[in-house]
Amino acid sequence: MTDTQALLKTLDFQLDIRSDNESLLYDATLEARLAYNETIRLAKQGVDWDAIPDRVAEDANLVKNTTQRVVAKALGAMENYYEYDDFGQPSHTKDGEYPLRANYEEGYNLSLTDDGDVAFRISAKPYKHVKGVLKGSDTHLDILKTALEGEGWKIGTAEALFHNENAELHVNVTNTEQTVRDKQDSRTLIGVDVNEDNVALTALSEGGVEDTLVIDFPEIKFERHRYFTMRKRVQNAGKDSIHDTLEGREERFVRDRLHKVSRHIVEWSRQFERPCIVFEDLKEIRDSIDCGTRMNRRLHHLPFRALQFYTSYKASFEGIPTAWINPEYTSQRCPMCGHTEGANRNKKRLKCKDCGHQDHSDRGASVNIAVKGVKKLDWNVPALNSLPVVRKVRRQASGAVDAPTVTHPTVRGYQADGRMGVSD
Ligand SMILES: [Zn+2]
């Protein structure tokens, strides 16, 4: 993930099924669930992962490479669990449908019709197809049509699934022409400090710190806590299926919010000259040093990797590169004089024991992350004599809401129109 950034986009469509066999597709998604569960069950049993695809494919009543895609996704979930513990250990006892994941031109096919529609054909079961046309937003249909005409796009796997009882197809397409700018060719580094209830962003150029923004998202923390409590309650009552449903809802809620926050980060970064987004490589800290309490809390309270991944691929669509730094001491270092000591920090306040500088601690961390990015790219670290006032916005369900903590006139008229340039 660090060096290669595929320009991948997922396009969502509704399926207008015209072959009168919607139930066939539904059955296939139930079959996909069985394949998923079986994979997780075997993996938990300690079966060699290389042997799992064939074992599952033998029993599944699905197109073989479709089963393999579902198995791969299930193993990916296990791998994420071991590596990042994003959403807890995957369950092998859920029921209901699971997305039918298929390879292009194997498990599903698309074609342009004479009417200008995109027709689909999904091999729901071996030799049994579901056919119809795709419905969706103009932008997504537009990209897909361009991709079908072979103009610099490649069509990849797709997932057929039911959302609110409507059949959908989510198609992955990759832009093979657009490139991400070389990191070395950047002029502004955007340090991103991800926390349980906010992200702090700092833009650092040769001239010093250009701007800082803190995006608060208290509802993610709140909802995660709420779902956690509800899940515990039903678990104690022995109701596994409700437990699983709640888990699914929580995951969807959090993912949706993280997508919005990541979009916001990219939008904000775009205003600066040749930006490069810098993240903490949390894997590095897990592997190398003993995690402090703050780091532990951060690792366990938010799917960080998801937010970083969403941001990095959205950025790559804008040609913006991403850099990764070792997170050691980013939260304890004074951004002004560099003095590093655990006692500098007290919750959301940073007060340097050496020079006396006071700061919002997450902003301080985001400055330090940007500074580490500068060092990594081998630039000269600019002398920081003063830092701009921290600007805050709160991200709510309806979008970004201005909650300014500052009243000074803003550079670039950023707050003047009150909408932050974020489109959901
Ligand atoms: Zn200091």
Side-chain angles (χ1 to χ4, degrees), residues 26 38 53 97 178 185 212 241 316 328:
Y26 187 74
E38 183 63 3
E97 68 268 27
Q178 196 180 340
D185 186 33
T212 292
S241 61
S316 70
E328 208 172 2

Side-chain angles (χ1 to χ4, degrees), residues 267-301:
E267 286 298 325
W268 188 80
S269 305
R270 278 177 57 183
Q271 66 181 312
F272 301 100
E273 193 186 354
R274 285 188 262 161
C276 169
I277 297 178
V278 187
F279 289 115
E280 291 175 293
D281 191 344
L282 296 165
K283 189 165 180 290
E284 200 164 336
I285 196 158
R286 274 213 168 162
D287 292 346
S288 67
I289 66 167
D290 153 60
C291 308
T293 346
R294 174 173 185 259
M295 194 53 80
N296 263 322
R297 210 168 43 227
R298 296 169 73 208
L299 284 170
H300 289 111
H301 279 84

Side-chain angles (χ1 to χ4, degrees), residues 334 337 352 355:
C334 168
C337 73
C352 180
C355 75

Side-chain angles (χ1 to χ4, degrees), residues 333-339 344 350-357:
R333 178 182 177 274
C334 168
M336 299 300 279
C337 73
H339 176 69
N344 279 351
L350 184 113
K351 185 170 189 223
C352 180
K353 294 281 173 196
D354 193 22
C355 75
H357 169 71

